[in-house]
Amino acid sequence: MKQTEQQETGASTPAFWPVLAAIFIGSFVGMYHVVSLNVSLPGFIRIFDTELQTVQWMMTGFTLASGIVIPISGYAMERFGCKRVFLFAIGGITISSFLCAQSWNIEALIAFRIIQGLFCGLIQPVSLALIYRTVRVEKQSFALSVWSFSTVLGTAIGPSLSGWLQSFDWHLIFLITVPVGIVAWIAGAVVIPKDMANGLARLDWPGLLLATAGSLALLLLFGNMNVWGWGSLLTWTMLVVGIGCFTLFVWQERRSDHPLLQLRLLLNPRFSLSLMASLILSFGLYSVVYFMPLLLVEMKGLSPFRVGLLFLPAAACLTAATFAAGRWYHRLGPARLIAIGCLILFVSTFYFSQMPPETSLVAIMIWLAVRNTGTGLASTPATNASMSSVPQEWIGHASALLNWLRQVFSAMALGVCTSMFYWRMGIHQAETGGGGEGTSQYRLAYMQSIHDVFLVSSIIVVFAIPIALLLGRRMSAAFQTPKESESL
């Protein structure tokens, strides 16, 4: 009743596009810094006269900080409201970006990047929750498509833009988002409506400590799995600590009166099935996004900047498919869109697993575009199906849980794929008679190892299709708690 009344009096509420634009810009700023160093990272070895192991912490520290802060975002949104947390995150990203540009040595830059990671970890869950807190139900699927485009845009242009800026002045990599962040903060403060906050909400400290320790252990494990190896004491220690902390975390959340994350959401069949599909899509997405540039550099000798340009048409197709999925969501339903998208994803990833060395760049570009079309059709409906099935008062918890599990699962996928690559690399080098880097034997073994990763990735993606079909049967199984919200 409350939601209906608000919709009928929509004239007194802020306009749809200004609010969505503020959320879009804020999300883009955060996503840009997630991927901005993917190409330009090696350049900092020369800039600061250091080594790769040290420079790598600019990304490792950022990822760890993002991963451990996400679980607390649900409590933060409940305690302070989504708008306040959004402005806090945007302000933090803007200030930390400025500080990164003022770094006087590599240690200072790593420290500021870790601080930046904390705020970037907040921006994705809070911006997603804002959509479901402020946008009318009938517009949420389209709004989610626009929001997803901010992720696509940041991922598409971030690496190429930062690589180009580094050739002029590395400070610009960070300074370029400072004015954008200021605009996003002002726009958010003016147009985003103030939402309800629960001043009595209490922080589940035991749950926070367990979630932080578990996330830190698993992210360290998956980030260093290839270096440590399965025979390392560190590998098994991090694995035991991570699994143990998560087991205790589940036990703590079930008995807590004020849980850090509402794990009861996983009892919702629609939410859990959509979540499973999203995690599988993450595995398929990251395997190709990470290994295809390596394959292009090794097979075709492309520079990182040219690789980024080759991915731009695919980014355009991902954008178009994401918007199309938002438009078709209510007509076709999420189950059909996820199934169709995963089928396209499987076919294109399987093609890459069989791709011969003489494949032209045009063919690769077309198949990347086809693959991203499948990703766009499947990913947004999976997110919307899960988020739209939960009670309004648990939107923040749902967004935090979704983003947290994606972060951990994506790190796991990348770690497993990297370990698989090097394992298969050793086997293929033995089969081809060895050969040092730069030899034809080495390049052949390199290509075959990446093909193996793509093959496994394509097989894993197939499992999302029956999950999507099962989701179609359970669409009516959702929480019966009334959803009351401020709507545009």
Side-chain angles (χ1 to χ4, degrees):
M1 177 66 70
K2 183 178 179 181
Q3 184 176 351
T4 303
E5 290 174 356
Q6 287 174 338
Q7 291 177 355
E8 290 175 353
T9 59
S12 62
T13 59
F16 172 81
W17 281 109
V19 172
L20 196 57
I23 298 173
F24 177 95
I25 298 172
S27 180
F28 167 77
V29 170
M31 182 52 61
Y32 166 83
H33 286 294
V34 171
V35 300
S36 62
L37 299 186
N38 286 8
V39 169
S40 58
L41 188 68
F44 287 95
I45 298 175
R46 174 186 53 80
I47 292 171
F48 289 106
D49 190 23
T50 184
E51 54 188 13
L52 180 60
Q53 288 82 352
T54 301
V55 170
Q56 188 67 38
W57 274 98
M58 292 172 60
M59 291 187 65
T60 302
F62 181 96
T63 302
L64 292 175
S66 298
I68 64 177
V69 79
I70 291 176
I72 203 175
S73 62
Y75 160 78
M77 285 183 273
E78 181 182 359
R79 174 65 177 81
F80 303 103
C82 286
K83 179 176 180 176
R84 288 183 180 178
V85 178
F86 178 82
L87 295 178
F88 175 74
I90 289 297
I93 293 173
T94 304
I95 294 173
S96 60
S97 298
F98 178 79
L99 291 175
C100 284
Q102 309 308 310
S103 299
W104 52 93
N105 56 33
I106 188 62
E107 289 77 16
L109 183 52
I110 291 172
F112 292 140
R113 274 284 291 177
I114 292 174
I115 296 173
Q116 188 180 60
L118 292 171
F119 294 107
C120 287
L122 283 176
I123 195 63
Q124 290 302 102
V126 72
S127 59
L128 176 60
L130 270 174
I131 291 176
Y132 292 89
R133 284 277 184 94
T134 60
V135 177
R136 289 179 177 175
V137 173
E138 64 271 16
K139 290 186 176 182
Q140 285 174 357
S141 59
F142 177 71
L144 185 63
S145 299
V146 177
W147 174 80
S148 298
F149 175 54
S150 67
T151 301
V152 173
L153 186 63
T155 304
I157 73 172
S160 299
L161 179 60
S162 66
W164 181 66
L165 291 173
Q166 192 181 58
S167 64
F168 293 96
D169 186 348
W170 70 267
H171 302 84
L172 296 175
I173 295 175
F174 305 100
L175 289 177
I176 193 171
T177 59
V178 171
V180 181
I182 293 174
V183 170
W185 194 95
I186 295 174
V190 173
V191 303
I192 295 178
K194 185 177 180 180
D195 56 330
M196 291 179 14
N198 181 9
L200 300 178
R202 284 187 274 173
L203 181 60
D204 177 17
W205 284 103
L208 175 60
L209 293 175
L210 289 169
T212 300
S215 299
L216 190 61
L218 291 184
L219 289 171
L220 281 172
L221 168 64
F222 298 133
N224 296 277
M225 185 182 295
N226 172 64
V227 178
W228 294 346
W230 281 107
S232 170
L233 178 62
L234 270 175
T235 296
W236 289 101
T237 300
M238 291 296 106
L239 183 61
V240 171
V241 170
I243 293 176
C245 286
F246 279 125
T247 302
L248 291 174
F249 175 74
V250 173
W251 176 79
Q252 166 65 20
E253 298 308 280
R254 292 186 64 182
R255 62 186 291 272
S256 176
D257 294 331
H258 303 277
L260 183 70
L261 291 174
Q262 286 287 357
L263 298 185
R264 285 180 57 198
L265 289 166
L266 299 176
L267 300 177
N268 180 350
R270 183 173 170 182
F271 181 86
S272 57
L273 288 171
S274 303
L275 175 61
M276 290 171 61
S278 293
L279 296 181
I280 291 174
L281 285 169
S282 296
F283 192 101
L285 176 64
Y286 278 91
S287 62
V288 172
V289 167
Y290 182 77
F291 283 98
M292 181 56 75
L294 298 179
L295 186 64
L296 291 171
V297 171
E298 190 62 36
M299 282 177 54
K300 305 294 185 181
L302 300 184
S303 65
F305 181 69
R306 290 186 64 193
V307 171
L309 293 178
L310 192 67
F311 271 78
L312 286 180
C317 288
L318 180 57
T319 302
T322 298
F323 278 107
R327 290 293 189 185
W328 297 339
Y329 183 86
H330 294 291
R331 186 188 310 170
L332 299 179
R336 291 182 182 177
L337 289 170
I338 295 172
I340 294 171
C342 287
L343 182 60
I344 296 173
L345 198 60
F346 162 73
V347 172
S348 55
T349 307
F350 182 79
Y351 168 81
F352 287 135
S353 72
Q354 310 297 315
M355 185 174 61
E358 61 273 13
T359 304
S360 67
L361 291 179
V362 174
I364 295 174
M365 184 174 62
I366 292 174
W367 277 100
L368 282 172
V370 171
R371 188 178 185 280
N372 274 13
T373 299
T375 302
L377 289 176
S379 58
T380 300
T383 302
N384 194 39
S386 58
M387 291 294 295
S388 62
S389 67
V390 304
Q392 187 66 32
E393 62 269 22
W394 285 0
I395 285 294
H397 286 267
S399 180
L401 182 61
L402 183 66
N403 281 277
W404 182 42
L405 292 179
R406 278 180 177 173
Q407 177 86 358
V408 174
F409 195 83
S410 297
M412 181 188 72
L414 192 55
V416 169
C417 287
T418 302
S419 296
M420 182 189 309
F421 166 76
Y422 282 105
W423 167 55
R424 297 298 296 172
M425 183 74 173
I427 294 176
H428 290 307
Q429 278 190 300
E431 292 174 348
T432 58
E437 187 172 348
T439 64
S440 59
Q441 294 92 336
Y442 178 86
R443 286 195 295 270
L444 179 61
Y446 197 97
M447 181 186 67
Q448 290 175 335
S449 301
I450 293 182
H451 282 177
D452 292 340
V453 172
F454 289 163
L455 179 60
V456 172
S457 179
S458 66
I459 294 173
I460 290 176
V461 167
V462 169
F463 287 98
I465 297 177
I467 291 176
L469 298 178
L470 184 59
L471 174 65
R473 297 182 180 181
R474 301 301 300 268
M475 284 297 292
S476 60
F479 280 26
Q480 299 302 313
T481 306
K483 297 184 180 182
E484 298 181 355
S485 64
E486 293 180 4
S487 301
L488 295 182

